[in-house]
């Protein structure tokens, strides 16, 4: 569910199992987003923002959320296997 957001961050339309979303008030979430952490170790993975509706034609427009994951928290594989 990765999509091109134009933000420079790898963006996804939904979170993954084992990812914990910081509990913040709705105003803070709308303006600043919320931190994403590893449920096991508490390490910072990225941030989630409530601007998914801006990305029409993606699943983020349906979820209303844009999950931006730090590149250091991702594991990359070549397209050809």
């Amino acid at each position: 569910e990765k999509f091109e957001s134009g933000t420079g961050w790898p963006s996804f339309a939904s979170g993954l199992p084992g990812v914990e979303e910081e509990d913040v008030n709705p105003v803070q979430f709308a303006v600043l987003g919320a931190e994403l952490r590893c449920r096991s170790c508490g390490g910072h993975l990225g941030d989630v923002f409530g601007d998914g509706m801006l990305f029409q034609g993606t699943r983020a427009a349906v979820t209303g959320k844009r999950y931006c994951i730090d590149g250091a928290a991702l594991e990359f594989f070549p397209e050809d296997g």
Side-chain angles (χ1 to χ4, degrees), residues 29-54:
F29 181 72
V31 177
L32 301 173
E35 182 181 20
L36 298 172
R37 294 181 293 256
C38 172
R39 185 170 288 136
S40 299
C41 71
H44 177 81
L45 298 175
D47 299 281
V48 60
F49 301 95
D51 62 357
M53 75 296 269
L54 298 175

Side-chain angles (χ1 to χ4, degrees), residues 19-37 44-51 65-70:
V19 174
E20 199 171 78
E21 192 174 314
E22 177 184 25
D23 187 24
V24 296
N25 72 57
V27 173
Q28 181 180 341
F29 181 72
V31 177
L32 301 173
E35 182 181 20
L36 298 172
R37 294 181 293 256
H44 177 81
L45 298 175
D47 299 281
V48 60
F49 301 95
D51 62 357
K65 294 182 177 182
R66 175 174 53 95
Y67 292 79
C68 291
I69 307 301
D70 295 344

